[in-house]
Amino acid sequence: MSPHTRKGPGADAGQSASGPAPRGSGQLRSHQWYGSGISSGLRSFSHRARTRQLGYLPEEHLGKPVVAILNTWSDINPCHVHLRDRAQAVKRGVWQAGGFPLEFPVATLSETFQKPTPMLYRNLLAMETEELLRSYPVDGAVLLGGCDKSTPALLMGAASVDLPTVFVPAGPMLPGHWRGEVLGSGTDMWKYWDEHRAGAIGDCELAELESGLARSPGHCMTMGTASTLTAAAEALGVTLPGASSIPAVDSGHERMAAASGLRVVDLIRADLRLSALLTREAFEDAVTCVLGLGGSTNAVIHLIAMAGRAGVPLTLDDFDRIARTVPVLANVRPGGGPYLMEDFHFAGGLPGFLSRITDLLHLERPTVAHDRFGDQLAGALVHDDDVIRTRADPVAEEGGVAVLRGNLCPDGAVIKHIAADPALLRHTGPAVVFDDYRTLQRTIDDPALGITPDHVLVLRGSGPKGGPGMPEYGMLPLPNYLLKEGVRDMVRISDARMSGTSYGTCVLHVAPESHVGGPLALVRTGDPITLDVAGRSLTLEVPEEELARRAAAWTPPPERFERGYGALYNEQITQADTGCDFAFLARPGTVPDPYAG
């Protein structure tokens, strides 16, 4: 593999420094399809003829790097509804750099609409990405995504093929507004829905909020899963510098897309592939970034899965180890203060943020834009010390996610303790158990359950297999009668995930899940449970002998899927602590390029 020898443009530039001469057309992967003249054979003749059918002249594509633009745009995905236009900007950049762009529609994973959860389909998009890039005559790729699961899915699939690749983040939406208050999508939805349940606001106010929470295309403008994972992609070095926080409707976003098209052609000519970027050091820096941002717990699952595809071992222990070394400096909702992603962007964005923790990063590794990650951060500035805090004045002394162990989660669980009530981070209380989310929704407000603020709400049947797909149920609703008394947080435990825009003392990703017989399946209402975040433990205070008796009596629930993708998912899905990838995709091994002749 060729070394990285070119420096690329920033998010607002299109130039690249001089480097090695472009590879000859015969060295391009796409040349296997197109050949060079009549003597190259029947198949090459057929491929050229069909390209003429598409309306292209020979001089438009022959001998040029072919760039696949994978676009997750759709009419029902508000996070990506602008990506149809951004694909045109990418094409513009590819043409200007002397490449040949081809746009491919791929599955759109809409967090807001797709049921039971787009997490069920993350691996499907990863499979589509991998097989599309492998089976078509392309030399490199630009990936357009950003809504929660699309970022890891696209990068997992691309990593498995290992072509020169640039990721274009969809960008956050504009801040919401309502009656003089700035709103954050997701976070304020949960907040005001609880206020409505508590009787503090009425139906008219709620109707107004519907039109004020989300004002433009783009993903959630809080530090939810989308912003966390696009920031992780930038920290990995697969986006242009500063790309992850540019608001979706800002003209800078279109310029960044065009610059990405320019840059990928340089990467193809230098033969700089994803495997040169997605190293152990890169993933450690991405974890450091996520924890320092106070980012989404979902990033734990996705980064482990992405690292696995890149052949990099990454575990829950790595997250907990790094969390103890990095402070939270992003004062952004829901984990920090009042600010949103547009504030973060204009305060310096990710380059400014990372410039304050360079001693915790690996600065010698390459990125898509620079020979050294350190060069990418050189000269980065922070323009607002309240949005991006200094090391002397952090939002929190340690990273925003903690990994828990104990007899209730022998393979681990996570909690975003930076978004929890500090008084609940050391708590013992009796469990109130719900076997599934529908039952919880139906009964949570029943006073006969006798739920008090000291109880621990437990939801099972919501993990990777049980959900199915591990839905974002983990921010369990509190009883409305407690909300009316002013209670806004309780300890909640589940094998589910929660939205990165959520908050509260929510223990998530309990592994192994209850559906496969994990200890969560053995909890009974009234059992004492102890949460100790400082001690990194979650303990079911029930004697081992009693738990053994319950385990012997446990029977697995029936499987939901008898056929189709769901059956494949159920057969192959791994647990949360190992990334919820498909076993046959996560295992090592080679896949040959197709014979194109």
Side-chain angles (χ1 to χ4, degrees):
M1 186 169 301
S2 300
H4 188 30
T5 53
R6 292 193 171 196
K7 293 184 179 181
D12 206 31
Q15 299 81 15
S16 63
S18 61
R23 295 191 305 175
S25 63
Q27 296 176 284
L28 293 171
R29 181 176 180 273
S30 57
H31 184 73
Q32 299 173 54
W33 276 260
Y34 287 116
S36 56
I38 301 300
S39 61
S40 58
L42 172 63
R43 291 298 178 187
S44 295
F45 169 71
S46 171
H47 298 148
R48 294 194 301 272
R50 292 303 187 179
T51 307
R52 303 298 159 268
Q53 181 184 7
L54 292 169
Y56 294 111
L57 296 166
E59 51 267 38
E60 290 186 84
H61 73 97
L62 287 179
K64 295 183 177 182
V66 179
V67 177
I69 302 170
L70 272 58
N71 195 349
T72 54
W73 168 89
S74 83
D75 275 330
I76 200 169
N77 192 338
C79 306
H80 294 179
V81 73
H82 59 303
L83 292 185
R84 172 182 273 179
D85 294 332
R86 295 300 176 270
Q88 299 307 308
V90 174
K91 289 179 184 178
R92 191 172 78 226
V94 172
W95 284 120
Q96 290 172 353
F100 180 60
L102 294 172
E103 184 178 356
F104 293 81
V106 292
T108 191
L109 304 182
S110 175
E111 197 65 37
T112 48
F113 289 103
Q114 196 167 22
K115 304 299 179 185
T117 167
M119 184 64 177
L120 186 68
Y121 302 104
R122 184 200 69 181
N123 297 341
L124 184 62
L125 175 55
M127 290 170 65
E128 182 182 18
T129 298
E130 176 177 352
E131 299 307 326
L132 186 152
L133 292 177
R134 180 174 286 115
S135 61
Y136 278 100
V138 299
D139 302 299
V142 176
L143 313 174
L144 275 64
C147 187
D148 295 17
K149 314 306 176 292
S150 62
T151 299
L154 290 166
L155 287 171
M156 287 164 66
S160 295
V161 182
D162 194 26
L163 296 176
T165 301
V166 177
F167 185 78
V168 172
M173 68 177 87
L174 295 177
H177 285 276
W178 177 67
R179 296 190 177 185
E181 183 177 348
V182 177
L183 302 176
S185 62
T187 302
D188 282 307
M189 177 187 73
W190 313 117
K191 171 185 172 181
Y192 283 108
W193 184 254
D194 278 352
E195 293 300 312
H196 180 258
R197 292 179 64 221
I201 64 172
D203 291 346
C204 292
E205 290 87 351
L206 211 61
E208 290 177 16
L209 281 160
E210 283 186 14
S211 299
L213 271 170
R215 297 173 46 235
S216 77
H219 58 67
C220 292
M221 73 306 246
T222 51
M223 190 57 72
T225 304
S227 293
T228 300
L229 284 167
T230 54
E234 184 175 334
L236 285 169
V238 297
T239 79
L240 295 186
S244 63
S245 62
I246 304 173
V249 294
D250 192 297
S251 63
H253 196 268
E254 182 164 353
R255 296 194 298 273
M256 177 270 294
S260 298
L262 280 160
R263 185 60 190 147
V264 76
V265 177
D266 273 351
L267 299 180
I268 293 169
R269 287 172 171 156
D271 198 25
L272 181 69
R273 305 187 183 213
L274 272 180
S275 57
L277 308 179
L278 298 181
T279 61
R280 171 75 187 184
E281 292 77 15
F283 279 102
E284 287 192 350
D285 288 350
V287 172
T288 300
C289 170
V290 164
L291 294 169
L293 291 170
S296 168
T297 50
N298 287 309
V300 178
I301 291 175
H302 296 311
L303 280 171
I304 289 173
M306 292 160 64
R309 292 297 190 94
V312 173
L314 190 68
T315 69
L316 291 178
D317 290 338
D318 292 313
F319 280 84
D320 199 54
R321 170 180 56 82
I322 293 172
R324 297 172 188 271
T325 68
V326 58
V328 178
L329 302 183
N331 199 16
V332 178
R333 302 182 210 180
Y339 298 108
L340 297 171
M341 287 305 298
E342 188 171 10
D343 305 307
F344 180 79
H345 177 68
F346 290 112
L350 203 70
F353 166 80
L354 292 175
S355 74
R356 293 197 156 167
I357 55 171
T358 52
D359 58 306
L360 304 177
L361 304 174
H362 300 87
L363 302 178
E364 298 302 320
R365 61 185 178 87
T367 71
V368 296
H370 290 85
D371 295 326
R372 296 176 62 256
F373 190 35
D375 293 339
Q376 185 159 311
L377 302 179
L381 299 173
V382 174
H383 310 295
D384 190 327
D385 287 340
D386 195 39
V387 179
I388 301 174
R389 296 287 187 88
T390 65
R391 297 280 282 272
D393 182 32
V395 176
E397 295 289 343
E398 290 189 356
V401 175
V403 175
L404 307 175
R405 302 280 184 177
N407 68 346
L408 193 50
C409 55
D411 292 337
V414 300
I415 182 171
K416 188 175 181 178
H417 55 295
I418 192 176
D421 182 343
L424 293 172
L425 297 181
R426 178 67 172 83
H427 179 84
T428 298
V432 179
V433 180
F434 300 90
D435 285 324
D436 59 78
Y437 194 66
R438 291 184 188 182
T439 301
L440 181 148
Q441 288 179 303
R442 189 176 65 251
T443 62
I444 189 66
D445 295 326
D446 185 354
L449 292 179
I451 298 173
T452 72
D454 289 332
H455 277 91
V456 175
L457 302 181
V458 175
L459 172 67
R460 56 191 174 210
S462 300
K465 287 192 174 186
M470 211 178 177
E472 292 183 340
Y473 294 159
M475 186 183 172
L476 310 185
L478 307 188
N480 58 12
Y481 54 85
L482 291 184
L483 291 170
K484 290 174 182 177
E485 294 174 7
V487 177
R488 291 296 182 269
D489 198 4
M490 292 175 62
V491 176
R492 290 161 270 184
I493 299 171
S494 72
D495 48 13
R497 298 176 300 110
M498 77 175 185
S499 168
T501 65
S502 299
Y503 51 87
T505 312
C506 302
V507 177
L508 310 159
H509 311 178
V510 169
E513 64 174 308
S514 60
H515 194 85
V516 298
L520 200 66
L522 310 179
V523 183
R524 295 180 181 175
T525 293
D527 289 346
I529 295 176
T530 297
L531 168 66
D532 181 2
V533 174
R536 299 298 199 261
S537 66
L538 183 67
T539 307
L540 178 60
E541 308 287 0
V542 174
E544 293 286 336
E545 309 80 56
E546 173 60 19
L547 292 179
R549 282 193 292 271
R550 295 180 189 180
W554 180 81
T555 55
E559 302 297 351
R560 286 185 173 84
F561 300 104
E562 295 183 355
R563 59 163 303 279
Y565 174 75
L568 172 67
Y569 174 94
N570 188 69
E571 174 188 305
Q572 292 290 328
I573 195 67
T574 63
Q575 289 292 295
D577 61 301
T578 55
C580 296
D581 200 356
F582 285 168
F584 77 96
L585 295 174
R587 67 183 179 225
T590 60
V591 179
D593 258 0
Y595 175 60

PDB file of all heavy atoms in Angstrom, residues 11 172 234 241-247 250 252-253 332 340-352 381 383 387-388:
ATOM      1  N   ALA A  11     -12.153  21.974   5.132  1.00  0.00           N
ATOM      2  CA  ALA A  11     -13.561  21.866   4.787  1.00  0.00           C
ATOM      3  C   ALA A  11     -14.003  22.973   3.866  1.00  0.00           C
ATOM      4  O   ALA A  11     -15.087  22.939   3.326  1.00  0.00           O
ATOM      5  CB  ALA A  11     -14.405  21.862   6.060  1.00  0.00           C
ATOM      6  N   PRO A 172     -25.754  18.931  11.386  1.00  0.00           N
ATOM      7  CA  PRO A 172     -26.881  19.160  12.293  1.00  0.00           C
ATOM      8  C   PRO A 172     -27.876  20.164  11.741  1.00  0.00           C
ATOM      9  O   PRO A 172     -27.515  21.061  10.982  1.00  0.00           O
ATOM     10  CB  PRO A 172     -26.199  19.698  13.565  1.00  0.00           C
ATOM     11  CG  PRO A 172     -24.938  20.320  13.073  1.00  0.00           C
ATOM     12  CD  PRO A 172     -24.493  19.499  11.898  1.00  0.00           C
ATOM     13  N   GLU A 234     -14.868  12.085  12.107  1.00  0.00           N
ATOM     14  CA  GLU A 234     -13.834  13.101  11.892  1.00  0.00           C
ATOM     15  C   GLU A 234     -12.580  12.785  12.700  1.00  0.00           C
ATOM     16  O   GLU A 234     -11.457  12.927  12.214  1.00  0.00           O
ATOM     17  CB  GLU A 234     -14.369  14.484  12.252  1.00  0.00           C
ATOM     18  CG  GLU A 234     -13.383  15.598  11.953  1.00  0.00           C
ATOM     19  CD  GLU A 234     -13.925  16.991  12.194  1.00  0.00           C
ATOM     20  OE1 GLU A 234     -15.154  17.195  12.125  1.00  0.00           O
ATOM     21  OE2 GLU A 234     -13.103  17.900  12.454  1.00  0.00           O
ATOM     22  N   PRO A 241     -11.302  18.112   7.727  1.00  0.00           N
ATOM     23  CA  PRO A 241     -11.272  18.773   9.030  1.00  0.00           C
ATOM     24  C   PRO A 241     -12.453  19.732   9.215  1.00  0.00           C
ATOM     25  O   PRO A 241     -12.757  20.536   8.332  1.00  0.00           O
ATOM     26  CB  PRO A 241      -9.946  19.543   9.006  1.00  0.00           C
ATOM     27  CG  PRO A 241      -9.104  18.832   8.008  1.00  0.00           C
ATOM     28  CD  PRO A 241     -10.045  18.309   6.975  1.00  0.00           C
ATOM     29  N   GLY A 242     -13.108  19.618  10.371  1.00  0.00           N
ATOM     30  CA  GLY A 242     -14.221  20.495  10.697  1.00  0.00           C
ATOM     31  C   GLY A 242     -15.540  20.103  10.081  1.00  0.00           C
ATOM     32  O   GLY A 242     -16.565  20.763  10.314  1.00  0.00           O
ATOM     33  N   ALA A 243     -15.562  19.022   9.310  1.00  0.00           N
ATOM     34  CA  ALA A 243     -16.757  18.682   8.536  1.00  0.00           C
ATOM     35  C   ALA A 243     -17.945  18.281   9.404  1.00  0.00           C
ATOM     36  O   ALA A 243     -19.097  18.501   9.032  1.00  0.00           O
ATOM     37  CB  ALA A 243     -16.438  17.549   7.557  1.00  0.00           C
ATOM     38  N   SER A 244     -17.693  17.684  10.567  1.00  0.00           N
ATOM     39  CA  SER A 244     -18.783  17.031  11.300  1.00  0.00           C
ATOM     40  C   SER A 244     -19.778  17.991  11.923  1.00  0.00           C
ATOM     41  O   SER A 244     -20.909  17.598  12.197  1.00  0.00           O
ATOM     42  CB  SER A 244     -18.205  16.123  12.389  1.00  0.00           C
ATOM     43  OG  SER A 244     -17.489  16.855  13.355  1.00  0.00           O
ATOM     44  N   SER A 245     -19.390  19.239  12.164  1.00  0.00           N
ATOM     45  CA  SER A 245     -20.310  20.142  12.862  1.00  0.00           C
ATOM     46  C   SER A 245     -20.901  21.224  11.983  1.00  0.00           C
ATOM     47  O   SER A 245     -21.681  22.055  12.465  1.00  0.00           O
ATOM     48  CB  SER A 245     -19.600  20.794  14.058  1.00  0.00           C
ATOM     49  OG  SER A 245     -18.504  21.581  13.623  1.00  0.00           O
ATOM     50  N   ILE A 246     -20.571  21.257  10.692  1.00  0.00           N
ATOM     51  CA  ILE A 246     -21.129  22.295   9.819  1.00  0.00           C
ATOM     52  C   ILE A 246     -22.638  22.111   9.727  1.00  0.00           C
ATOM     53  O   ILE A 246     -23.115  21.028   9.365  1.00  0.00           O
ATOM     54  CB  ILE A 246     -20.524  22.225   8.404  1.00  0.00           C
ATOM     55  CG1 ILE A 246     -19.008  22.319   8.454  1.00  0.00           C
ATOM     56  CG2 ILE A 246     -21.091  23.342   7.531  1.00  0.00           C
ATOM     57  CD1 ILE A 246     -18.347  22.093   7.107  1.00  0.00           C
ATOM     58  N   PRO A 247     -23.440  23.128  10.048  1.00  0.00           N
ATOM     59  CA  PRO A 247     -24.900  22.972   9.943  1.00  0.00           C
ATOM     60  C   PRO A 247     -25.314  22.537   8.546  1.00  0.00           C
ATOM     61  O   PRO A 247     -24.743  22.976   7.533  1.00  0.00           O
ATOM     62  CB  PRO A 247     -25.420  24.374  10.281  1.00  0.00           C
ATOM     63  CG  PRO A 247     -24.354  24.963  11.162  1.00  0.00           C
ATOM     64  CD  PRO A 247     -23.055  24.444  10.607  1.00  0.00           C
ATOM     65  N   ASP A 250     -26.022  25.289   5.975  1.00  0.00           N
ATOM     66  CA  ASP A 250     -25.004  26.317   5.798  1.00  0.00           C
ATOM     67  C   ASP A 250     -24.322  26.123   4.445  1.00  0.00           C
ATOM     68  O   ASP A 250     -24.075  24.991   4.023  1.00  0.00           O
ATOM     69  CB  ASP A 250     -23.981  26.200   6.930  1.00  0.00           C
ATOM     70  CG  ASP A 250     -23.044  27.388   7.017  1.00  0.00           C
ATOM     71  OD1 ASP A 250     -22.291  27.611   6.050  1.00  0.00           O
ATOM     72  OD2 ASP A 250     -23.054  28.082   8.051  1.00  0.00           O
ATOM     73  N   GLY A 252     -21.363  26.503   3.796  1.00  0.00           N
ATOM     74  CA  GLY A 252     -20.107  25.803   4.033  1.00  0.00           C
ATOM     75  C   GLY A 252     -20.253  24.303   3.912  1.00  0.00           C
ATOM     76  O   GLY A 252     -19.281  23.606   3.604  1.00  0.00           O
ATOM     77  N   HIS A 253     -21.457  23.800   4.148  1.00  0.00           N
ATOM     78  CA  HIS A 253     -21.674  22.363   4.028  1.00  0.00           C
ATOM     79  C   HIS A 253     -21.566  21.919   2.579  1.00  0.00           C
ATOM     80  O   HIS A 253     -20.971  20.871   2.279  1.00  0.00           O
ATOM     81  CB  HIS A 253     -23.046  21.993   4.605  1.00  0.00           C
ATOM     82  CG  HIS A 253     -23.214  20.539   4.883  1.00  0.00           C
ATOM     83  ND1 HIS A 253     -23.740  19.672   3.952  1.00  0.00           N
ATOM     84  CD2 HIS A 253     -22.903  19.782   5.971  1.00  0.00           C
ATOM     85  CE1 HIS A 253     -23.763  18.447   4.459  1.00  0.00           C
ATOM     86  NE2 HIS A 253     -23.261  18.488   5.678  1.00  0.00           N
ATOM     87  N   VAL A 332     -22.379  21.061  25.807  1.00  0.00           N
ATOM     88  CA  VAL A 332     -23.463  20.925  24.827  1.00  0.00           C
ATOM     89  C   VAL A 332     -24.520  19.969  25.364  1.00  0.00           C
ATOM     90  O   VAL A 332     -24.187  18.962  26.006  1.00  0.00           O
ATOM     91  CB  VAL A 332     -22.905  20.412  23.477  1.00  0.00           C
ATOM     92  CG1 VAL A 332     -24.003  20.220  22.452  1.00  0.00           C
ATOM     93  CG2 VAL A 332     -21.838  21.381  22.939  1.00  0.00           C
ATOM     94  N   LEU A 340     -25.854  24.157  21.703  1.00  0.00           N
ATOM     95  CA  LEU A 340     -26.193  23.197  20.652  1.00  0.00           C
ATOM     96  C   LEU A 340     -25.078  23.155  19.612  1.00  0.00           C
ATOM     97  O   LEU A 340     -24.084  23.881  19.708  1.00  0.00           O
ATOM     98  CB  LEU A 340     -27.536  23.578  20.007  1.00  0.00           C
ATOM     99  CG  LEU A 340     -28.740  23.543  20.960  1.00  0.00           C
ATOM    100  CD1 LEU A 340     -29.969  24.143  20.298  1.00  0.00           C
ATOM    101  CD2 LEU A 340     -29.021  22.125  21.429  1.00  0.00           C
ATOM    102  N   MET A 341     -25.229  22.305  18.602  1.00  0.00           N
ATOM    103  CA  MET A 341     -24.145  22.028  17.670  1.00  0.00           C
ATOM    104  C   MET A 341     -23.733  23.243  16.850  1.00  0.00           C
ATOM    105  O   MET A 341     -22.555  23.382  16.500  1.00  0.00           O
ATOM    106  CB  MET A 341     -24.522  20.871  16.746  1.00  0.00           C
ATOM    107  CG  MET A 341     -24.505  19.505  17.422  1.00  0.00           C
ATOM    108  SD  MET A 341     -22.928  19.107  18.227  1.00  0.00           S
ATOM    109  CE  MET A 341     -21.818  19.101  16.825  1.00  0.00           C
ATOM    110  N   GLU A 342     -24.661  24.126  16.518  1.00  0.00           N
ATOM    111  CA  GLU A 342     -24.261  25.332  15.785  1.00  0.00           C
ATOM    112  C   GLU A 342     -23.342  26.192  16.648  1.00  0.00           C
ATOM    113  O   GLU A 342     -22.345  26.752  16.159  1.00  0.00           O
ATOM    114  CB  GLU A 342     -25.483  26.129  15.348  1.00  0.00           C
ATOM    115  CG  GLU A 342     -25.132  27.286  14.429  1.00  0.00           C
ATOM    116  CD  GLU A 342     -26.348  27.946  13.808  1.00  0.00           C
ATOM    117  OE1 GLU A 342     -27.483  27.641  14.232  1.00  0.00           O
ATOM    118  OE2 GLU A 342     -26.160  28.776  12.902  1.00  0.00           O
ATOM    119  N   ASP A 343     -23.645  26.282  17.948  1.00  0.00           N
ATOM    120  CA  ASP A 343     -22.749  26.998  18.858  1.00  0.00           C
ATOM    121  C   ASP A 343     -21.380  26.328  18.900  1.00  0.00           C
ATOM    122  O   ASP A 343     -20.341  27.007  18.887  1.00  0.00           O
ATOM    123  CB  ASP A 343     -23.344  27.011  20.275  1.00  0.00           C
ATOM    124  CG  ASP A 343     -24.744  27.586  20.325  1.00  0.00           C
ATOM    125  OD1 ASP A 343     -24.933  28.703  19.819  1.00  0.00           O
ATOM    126  OD2 ASP A 343     -25.641  26.903  20.862  1.00  0.00           O
ATOM    127  N   PHE A 344     -21.377  25.000  18.963  1.00  0.00           N
ATOM    128  CA  PHE A 344     -20.129  24.241  19.003  1.00  0.00           C
ATOM    129  C   PHE A 344     -19.315  24.493  17.735  1.00  0.00           C
ATOM    130  O   PHE A 344     -18.090  24.687  17.797  1.00  0.00           O
ATOM    131  CB  PHE A 344     -20.451  22.752  19.164  1.00  0.00           C
ATOM    132  CG  PHE A 344     -19.252  21.855  19.228  1.00  0.00           C
ATOM    133  CD1 PHE A 344     -18.522  21.721  20.398  1.00  0.00           C
ATOM    134  CD2 PHE A 344     -18.848  21.138  18.115  1.00  0.00           C
ATOM    135  CE1 PHE A 344     -17.412  20.880  20.463  1.00  0.00           C
ATOM    136  CE2 PHE A 344     -17.746  20.305  18.160  1.00  0.00           C
ATOM    137  CZ  PHE A 344     -17.024  20.177  19.337  1.00  0.00           C
ATOM    138  N   HIS A 345     -19.993  24.510  16.599  1.00  0.00           N
ATOM    139  CA  HIS A 345     -19.287  24.708  15.327  1.00  0.00           C
ATOM    140  C   HIS A 345     -18.595  26.060  15.293  1.00  0.00           C
ATOM    141  O   HIS A 345     -17.399  26.153  14.966  1.00  0.00           O
ATOM    142  CB  HIS A 345     -20.273  24.584  14.157  1.00  0.00           C
ATOM    143  CG  HIS A 345     -19.653  24.831  12.826  1.00  0.00           C
ATOM    144  ND1 HIS A 345     -18.727  23.982  12.269  1.00  0.00           N
ATOM    145  CD2 HIS A 345     -19.797  25.854  11.937  1.00  0.00           C
ATOM    146  CE1 HIS A 345     -18.334  24.446  11.096  1.00  0.00           C
ATOM    147  NE2 HIS A 345     -18.962  25.587  10.875  1.00  0.00           N
ATOM    148  N   PHE A 346     -19.327  27.107  15.629  1.00  0.00           N
ATOM    149  CA  PHE A 346     -18.741  28.440  15.538  1.00  0.00           C
ATOM    150  C   PHE A 346     -17.804  28.751  16.702  1.00  0.00           C
ATOM    151  O   PHE A 346     -17.044  29.724  16.643  1.00  0.00           O
ATOM    152  CB  PHE A 346     -19.845  29.488  15.409  1.00  0.00           C
ATOM    153  CG  PHE A 346     -20.536  29.423  14.074  1.00  0.00           C
ATOM    154  CD1 PHE A 346     -21.850  29.005  13.973  1.00  0.00           C
ATOM    155  CD2 PHE A 346     -19.849  29.726  12.915  1.00  0.00           C
ATOM    156  CE1 PHE A 346     -22.479  28.920  12.734  1.00  0.00           C
ATOM    157  CE2 PHE A 346     -20.460  29.632  11.667  1.00  0.00           C
ATOM    158  CZ  PHE A 346     -21.786  29.232  11.578  1.00  0.00           C
ATOM    159  N   ALA A 347     -17.816  27.897  17.726  1.00  0.00           N
ATOM    160  CA  ALA A 347     -16.835  28.035  18.805  1.00  0.00           C
ATOM    161  C   ALA A 347     -15.493  27.408  18.443  1.00  0.00           C
ATOM    162  O   ALA A 347     -14.518  27.564  19.182  1.00  0.00           O
ATOM    163  CB  ALA A 347     -17.370  27.403  20.090  1.00  0.00           C
ATOM    164  N   GLY A 348     -15.443  26.711  17.326  1.00  0.00           N
ATOM    165  CA  GLY A 348     -14.195  26.080  16.896  1.00  0.00           C
ATOM    166  C   GLY A 348     -14.365  24.687  16.350  1.00  0.00           C
ATOM    167  O   GLY A 348     -13.435  24.126  15.767  1.00  0.00           O
ATOM    168  N   GLY A 349     -15.566  24.096  16.539  1.00  0.00           N
ATOM    169  CA  GLY A 349     -15.821  22.774  16.006  1.00  0.00           C
ATOM    170  C   GLY A 349     -14.880  21.726  16.588  1.00  0.00           C
ATOM    171  O   GLY A 349     -14.204  21.949  17.596  1.00  0.00           O
ATOM    172  N   LEU A 350     -14.849  20.583  15.923  1.00  0.00           N
ATOM    173  CA  LEU A 350     -14.031  19.496  16.452  1.00  0.00           C
ATOM    174  C   LEU A 350     -12.531  19.816  16.436  1.00  0.00           C
ATOM    175  O   LEU A 350     -11.827  19.458  17.384  1.00  0.00           O
ATOM    176  CB  LEU A 350     -14.313  18.193  15.704  1.00  0.00           C
ATOM    177  CG  LEU A 350     -13.954  16.950  16.528  1.00  0.00           C
ATOM    178  CD1 LEU A 350     -14.917  16.782  17.691  1.00  0.00           C
ATOM    179  CD2 LEU A 350     -13.940  15.708  15.668  1.00  0.00           C
ATOM    180  N   PRO A 351     -11.992  20.503  15.407  1.00  0.00           N
ATOM    181  CA  PRO A 351     -10.569  20.843  15.487  1.00  0.00           C
ATOM    182  C   PRO A 351     -10.237  21.675  16.728  1.00  0.00           C
ATOM    183  O   PRO A 351      -9.224  21.425  17.399  1.00  0.00           O
ATOM    184  CB  PRO A 351     -10.318  21.621  14.191  1.00  0.00           C
ATOM    185  CG  PRO A 351     -11.332  21.074  13.235  1.00  0.00           C
ATOM    186  CD  PRO A 351     -12.559  20.843  14.077  1.00  0.00           C
ATOM    187  N   GLY A 352     -11.088  22.655  17.053  1.00  0.00           N
ATOM    188  CA  GLY A 352     -10.857  23.451  18.246  1.00  0.00           C
ATOM    189  C   GLY A 352     -10.939  22.611  19.508  1.00  0.00           C
ATOM    190  O   GLY A 352     -10.097  22.719  20.406  1.00  0.00           O
ATOM    191  N   LEU A 381      -8.332  26.849  16.664  1.00  0.00           N
ATOM    192  CA  LEU A 381      -8.607  27.789  17.741  1.00  0.00           C
ATOM    193  C   LEU A 381      -9.985  27.528  18.347  1.00  0.00           C
ATOM    194  O   LEU A 381     -10.879  27.001  17.675  1.00  0.00           O
ATOM    195  CB  LEU A 381      -8.560  29.232  17.224  1.00  0.00           C
ATOM    196  CG  LEU A 381      -7.230  29.705  16.635  1.00  0.00           C
ATOM    197  CD1 LEU A 381      -7.404  31.084  16.013  1.00  0.00           C
ATOM    198  CD2 LEU A 381      -6.140  29.725  17.697  1.00  0.00           C
ATOM    199  N   HIS A 383     -13.056  29.728  20.031  1.00  0.00           N
ATOM    200  CA  HIS A 383     -13.510  31.115  20.060  1.00  0.00           C
ATOM    201  C   HIS A 383     -14.480  31.415  21.191  1.00  0.00           C
ATOM    202  O   HIS A 383     -14.864  32.582  21.368  1.00  0.00           O
ATOM    203  CB  HIS A 383     -14.159  31.472  18.723  1.00  0.00           C
ATOM    204  CG  HIS A 383     -13.313  31.107  17.539  1.00  0.00           C
ATOM    205  ND1 HIS A 383     -12.105  31.693  17.279  1.00  0.00           N
ATOM    206  CD2 HIS A 383     -13.497  30.173  16.562  1.00  0.00           C
ATOM    207  CE1 HIS A 383     -11.577  31.166  16.183  1.00  0.00           C
ATOM    208  NE2 HIS A 383     -12.399  30.232  15.735  1.00  0.00           N
ATOM    209  N   VAL A 387     -18.481  27.359  25.553  1.00  0.00           N
ATOM    210  CA  VAL A 387     -19.012  26.279  24.718  1.00  0.00           C
ATOM    211  C   VAL A 387     -18.033  25.114  24.698  1.00  0.00           C
ATOM    212  O   VAL A 387     -18.417  23.952  24.889  1.00  0.00           O
ATOM    213  CB  VAL A 387     -19.289  26.770  23.285  1.00  0.00           C
ATOM    214  CG1 VAL A 387     -19.822  25.622  22.422  1.00  0.00           C
ATOM    215  CG2 VAL A 387     -20.281  27.918  23.294  1.00  0.00           C
ATOM    216  N   ILE A 388     -16.761  25.403  24.457  1.00  0.00           N
ATOM    217  CA  ILE A 388     -15.697  24.404  24.512  1.00  0.00           C
ATOM    218  C   ILE A 388     -14.793  24.809  25.668  1.00  0.00           C
ATOM    219  O   ILE A 388     -14.003  25.756  25.561  1.00  0.00           O
ATOM    220  CB  ILE A 388     -14.917  24.326  23.194  1.00  0.00           C
ATOM    221  CG1 ILE A 388     -15.858  23.979  22.031  1.00  0.00           C
ATOM    222  CG2 ILE A 388     -13.803  23.279  23.288  1.00  0.00           C
ATOM    223  CD1 ILE A 388     -15.207  24.013  20.654  1.00  0.00           C
TER     224      ILE A 388
END
